[in-house]
């Protein structure tokens, strides 16, 4: 039987009376009906009993509502950690950002999404790529980044991490495609890393992802396995060349100061020798200037004194004995063996071993030769002076 059929008002769900048009239910009656139902559950009198617990039923309904409100209120408390930012959505639309700490939100009205803005994240990209000189290389790089704007990170693109990954792969392939294979494998790795960094920032700038690139690492690059051995030899040769150049520069830097010091030492020695010669010459000139007046006053005496002084210097380091004897035939005995014994301590070993025995066997011959040679030198000197 259908509801609200004419003459069947007992089936009216809204309890309308008198067959009037249906309208919104009376709120008081609805709450009273609910109270009667809950009153039966809490031990109150069932509906329809005279003097039943209508007041208790109202109290039970109010208690349920209060408990629901308390649960709803406590469910709204949440905590944002120290390294996070909270993005608040109200009915699904961005509302505001909240800082770390304890906050409250109206449940079912607002929603908070925590975003870590301090942790550094990593994305790696690798694969075989074609270089400018049409060689195939395997490149592996890694980008490090962190979130600086939580709102842009969540809402400017569908998935910021996925977008950054695609942009990173695109930047690597672009830079490798404009570089030679030798640059990628050996000397140009740092330049490639810097170029990838700059290209990546250029790609993601229009999207405003709320991301800051902190570093780009060039982890590995290698040629295909078929030519790997040949490229390893080439790389080793290049490294040896650089090592030899560095060793040569180090040797030059160590030897140059030594050469400069040696040159300075020779220069100082030359200056010292020059000063010595000049001073000796000046001393000889001063000595001659002092001797000249004495020679002019007594030439013969001065000449004889100079001769004796010179002979004394000459014979002081030899085993010769000079005797100035007036008259040519006088013989004189000299104890050469005693003299030789006294001077033997100052003579070299060769003289002791070879010359001394000859003089000891024929002392007279040595004496005569010494006397004759001395007399002849004296006569030549005297003739030259006259």
């Amino acid at each position: 039987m259908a509801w609200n059929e004419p003459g069947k008002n007992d089936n009216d769900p809204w309890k309308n009376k008198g067959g009037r048009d249906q309208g919104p239910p009376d709120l008081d009656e609805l709450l009273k009906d609910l109270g009667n139902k809950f009153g039966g559950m809490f031990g109150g009198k069932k509906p329809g009993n005279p003097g039943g617990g209508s007041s208790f039923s109202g109290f039970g309904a109010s208690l349920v509502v209060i408990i629901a409100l308390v649960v709803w209120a406590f469910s709204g408390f949440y905590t944002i950690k120290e390294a996070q930012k909270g993005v608040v959505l109200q009915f699904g639309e961005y509302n505001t950002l909240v800082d770390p700490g304890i906050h409250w939100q109206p449940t079912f009205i607002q929603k908070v999404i925590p975003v870590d803005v301090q942790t550094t994240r990593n994305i790696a990209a690798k694969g075989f790529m074609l270089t400018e000189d049409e060689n195939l290389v395997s490149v592996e790089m890694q980008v490090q980044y962190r979130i600086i704007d939580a709102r842009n990170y969540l809402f400017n693109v569908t998935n910021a991490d996925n977008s950054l990954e695609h942009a990173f792969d695109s930047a690597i392939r672009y830079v490798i495609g404009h570089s030679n294979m030798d640059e990628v494998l050996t000397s140009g790795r740092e330049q490639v890393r810097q170029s990838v960094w700059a290209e990546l920032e250029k790609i993601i700038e229009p999207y405003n992802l709320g991301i800051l690139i902190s570093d780009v690492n060039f982890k590995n690059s290698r040629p295909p396995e078929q030519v790997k051995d040949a490229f390893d030899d080439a790389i080793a040769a290049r490294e040896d060349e650089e090592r030899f150049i560095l060793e040569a520069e180090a040797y030059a830097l160590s030897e140059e100061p030594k050469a400069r010091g040696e040159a300075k030492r020779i220069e100082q020695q030359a200056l010292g020798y020059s000063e010595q010669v000049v001073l000796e010459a000046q001393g000889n000139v001063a000595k001659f200037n002092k001797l000249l007046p004495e020679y002019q006053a007594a030439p013969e005496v001065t000449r004889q004194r100079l001769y004796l002084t010179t002979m004394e210097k000459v014979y002081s380091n030899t085993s010769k004995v000079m005797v100035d004897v007036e008259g040519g035939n006088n013989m004189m005995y000299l104890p050469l063996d005693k003299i030789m014994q006294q001077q033997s301590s100052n003579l070299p070993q060769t003289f002791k071993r070879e010359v001394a025995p000859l003089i000891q066997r024929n002392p007279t011959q040595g004496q005569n030769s010494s006397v004759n040679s001395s007399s002849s030198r004296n006569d030549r000197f005297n003739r030259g002076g006259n």
Side-chain angles (χ1 to χ4, degrees):
M1 184 178 294
W3 286 355
N4 206 19
E5 185 178 350
K8 302 293 181 180
N9 290 332
D10 293 337
N11 295 328
D12 186 1
W14 305 118
K15 307 296 182 181
N16 291 325
K17 298 178 180 180
R20 294 176 297 178
D21 294 337
Q22 294 181 357
D26 190 354
L27 184 60
D28 293 336
E29 292 182 0
L30 180 61
L31 291 177
K32 182 179 180 180
D33 189 20
L34 291 175
N36 292 331
K37 291 180 180 180
F38 280 103
M41 295 176 60
F42 288 101
K45 293 185 178 180
K46 295 182 179 181
N49 292 334
S54 58
S55 62
F56 183 79
S57 299
F59 173 76
S62 301
L63 181 62
V64 170
V65 173
I66 292 173
I67 292 175
L69 290 175
V70 171
V71 172
W72 176 81
F74 274 99
S75 66
F77 287 99
Y78 65 93
T79 302
I80 299 296
K81 297 181 181 179
E82 185 66 27
Q84 296 177 340
K85 284 281 189 179
V87 180
V88 180
L89 305 180
Q90 185 167 329
F91 297 112
E93 184 181 2
Y94 171 78
N95 184 24
T96 184
L97 288 174
V98 293
D99 295 326
I102 299 176
H103 304 275
W104 183 83
Q105 63 173 358
T107 306
F108 308 121
I109 297 176
Q110 290 184 349
K111 179 183 178 181
V112 178
I113 303 175
V115 178
D116 192 339
V117 295
Q118 290 187 6
T119 301
T120 300
R121 310 182 183 193
N122 300 321
I123 290 180
K126 63 179 179 179
F128 286 96
M129 304 176 189
L130 194 64
T131 62
E132 187 177 20
D133 51 357
E134 298 182 355
N135 288 308
L136 195 64
V137 294
S138 175
V139 178
E140 181 179 0
M141 301 185 72
Q142 184 184 63
V143 60
Q144 297 180 354
Y145 67 98
R146 62 184 181 88
I147 301 171
I148 58 174
D149 192 323
R151 177 184 179 182
N152 294 340
Y153 175 77
L154 291 177
F155 302 118
N156 280 4
V157 294
T158 304
N159 189 329
D161 294 332
N162 192 26
S163 299
L164 179 63
E165 183 178 359
H166 290 299
F168 186 42
D169 185 76
S170 177
I172 295 175
R173 294 184 182 276
Y174 176 82
V175 173
I176 297 299
H178 289 78
S179 304
N180 294 327
M181 188 173 187
D182 289 341
E183 296 176 352
V184 177
L185 296 179
T186 57
S187 60
R189 292 169 60 93
E190 178 61 24
Q191 181 61 36
V192 170
R193 187 185 75 88
Q194 295 289 343
S195 299
V196 170
W197 193 341
E199 185 66 22
L200 177 60
E201 290 182 340
K202 180 180 177 181
I203 292 174
I204 66 175
E205 183 179 2
Y207 298 97
N208 197 14
L209 301 179
I211 289 174
L212 175 65
I213 305 299
S214 57
D215 196 8
V216 174
N217 298 322
F218 201 146
K219 299 184 66 176
N220 189 21
S221 63
R222 66 179 188 277
E225 294 296 332
Q226 293 80 358
V227 294
K228 183 177 182 300
D229 294 337
F231 273 94
D232 289 343
D233 294 339
I235 293 173
R238 190 183 301 274
E239 291 176 351
D240 291 340
E241 178 186 4
E242 294 178 356
R243 178 171 58 85
F244 291 148
I245 292 175
L246 294 176
E247 289 178 354
E249 292 177 352
Y251 177 77
L253 292 176
S254 64
E255 291 297 323
E256 183 179 358
K258 295 180 182 179
R260 292 182 181 275
E262 185 68 17
K264 193 67 175 179
R265 184 182 63 82
I266 295 174
E267 181 181 357
Q268 294 296 330
Q269 288 181 348
L271 292 176
Y273 177 76
S274 174
E275 293 179 359
Q276 178 183 356
V277 172
V278 171
L279 292 176
E280 288 180 354
Q282 291 176 353
N284 292 332
V285 170
K287 179 180 178 181
F288 180 79
N289 291 332
K290 290 182 179 181
L291 187 61
L292 181 61
E294 298 179 2
Y295 180 81
Q296 291 175 349
E300 186 63 26
V301 175
T302 304
R303 186 186 299 113
Q304 187 69 18
R305 183 167 60 83
L306 291 175
Y307 171 74
L308 294 176
T309 303
T310 303
M311 289 299 103
E312 182 180 1
K313 291 181 179 180
V314 171
Y315 284 99
S316 62
N317 296 323
T318 65
S319 60
K320 300 291 184 182
V321 178
M322 184 187 72
V323 179
D324 189 7
V325 181
E326 295 183 359
N329 296 324
N330 292 333
M331 298 297 295
M332 191 173 190
Y333 174 75
L334 294 176
L336 294 179
D337 54 347
K338 302 295 183 182
I339 297 175
M340 293 300 298
Q341 291 177 0
Q342 293 178 0
Q343 295 183 353
S344 61
S345 60
N346 298 326
L347 295 176
Q349 295 295 328
T350 303
F351 179 79
K352 293 180 182 180
R353 185 173 62 254
E354 298 178 0
V355 180
L358 296 176
I359 297 176
Q360 290 177 358
R361 286 197 299 270
N362 192 3
T364 306
Q365 183 177 357
Q367 177 183 354
N368 293 334
S369 61
S370 300
V371 172
N372 293 333
S373 61
S374 301
S375 300
S376 60
R377 283 195 296 270
N378 192 10
D379 292 340
R380 287 196 301 270
F381 185 78
N382 290 332
R383 288 196 300 271
N386 293 332

